[in-house]
Amino acid sequence: YGVNAVSKNLLICNRKRLLNPHGFILGVSGSGKSFSMKEAITFIALSTNDDIIVIDAEREYGDLVNALGGAVIEVSPNSPHHINPLEISRGYGAGENPVAMKSELLMSICEQQMGSGNLGAFHKSIIDRCTASVFHELIASGGKARQPVLSDWRNEIKKQPEREAQELALASELFVEGSLNMFAHATNVDIANRIISFDLYEMGEQLKPTALNVTLETIQNRVAANRLAGKYTWVFVDEVYLFFRYYYSAQFLYKCWKRFRKYAAAMTAATQNVEECLRSDTARMMFANSEFLVLLNQAATDRAELAKLLNISTNQTSYITGAEAGHGLLKVGASIVPFANRWPRDTELYYLMSSTPGEK
């Protein structure tokens, strides 16, 4: 991870050996946040046999993933690629109720369409009831029956007598039968490639959080299968602040944050919208409990909040004040050290990883 800015010693960390391998990369635009993510992806790809999955909200990782022999899956209304969020793979929800997990996902999706705070107790009960109903045959068959799709779930919702059921049916029409129904089909993409990038760039702002949740649910299936196969998985989430805009998507991410550690998987989340994330109590808890943090140059308000949250001293804060790209603080466990990370520019990898205009 570069060198110690004071002693000049190399900084090396095996995150798998940490109590909690998950981590954050935080920094303002131009601080080297995306470059740090791509650097981590490259090192893992070249030095391990682990699987790597990227949620790419801004179409920044495709060139690198393709160069490393990976596959890019476009998630958009215009893409031929379809992902079924209701699919359950072998090993999914091990030790937990898989139907309850799918119910949580559907609550998250419905809340995003209805607006934050508009999903009431009656809505939740109906969602839970109908989710259990559409999965009954699959569960009873031991996973041999057909995987349900969103249209099956919505048809079940429409059969319910409550007024709230009709509200849910109307709210779900857009992404089940309407123009944004890319999640209402059986999965038709093969995500068996060792390195996968889910490209969400063409998703509009309204459906991007839903796409993030559906993508993360698909990844959860892959992680569960990898665990049974004895494979470690790394999941990289760019622009994670999108998850924290809604209560259910924040909770869904947090639950994956906890589950993936048990599934032999490590998550890395990055954002330049630190202040927006810190408004979420869930995000603050995730920051405080993460054993691996890369803090790059920070805005003044973010510095103050992060210093208070992570007990960073005034002297240490100076390393994330006006810092050049690739410089800042590295927190591993209880240790916090200033670091400098420079990459030779006359290399093919540099141009694949750089997001700076004019350097492509």
Side-chain angles (χ1 to χ4, degrees), residues 1 4 45 48 51 59 72 77 92 128 152 156 167 170 186 195-196 248 254 259 317 328 339 341-343 345 348:
Y1 294 96
N4 185 310
T48 75
D51 282 2
R59 192 167 283 170
V72 176
Y92 175 88
D128 193 61
D152 299 322
E156 193 67 26
E167 292 174 357
L170 184 60
I195 306 173
I196 294 285
Y248 274 104
Y254 181 57
R259 287 179 184 131
T317 303
F339 75 93
N341 190 4
R342 292 185 175 90
W343 189 281
R345 297 193 174 207
E348 185 177 350

Side-chain angles (χ1 to χ4, degrees), residues 144-161:
K144 295 178 182 177
R146 181 183 73 89
Q147 297 273 0
V149 295
L150 279 176
S151 55
D152 299 322
W153 175 82
R154 185 168 184 266
N155 287 338
E156 193 67 26
I157 289 284
K158 290 162 71 176
K159 294 177 185 176
Q160 308 308 306

Side-chain angles (χ1 to χ4, degrees), residues 1 9 21 107 118 127 138 192 203 220 231 245 267 304 319 335 352:
Y1 294 96
N9 291 326
M107 288 180 196
N118 289 327
I127 290 171
L138 181 68
M203 293 298 300
Q220 192 164 217
K231 290 207 72 175
R245 285 183 171 178
M267 299 188 73
Y319 288 97
S335 302
L352 285 169

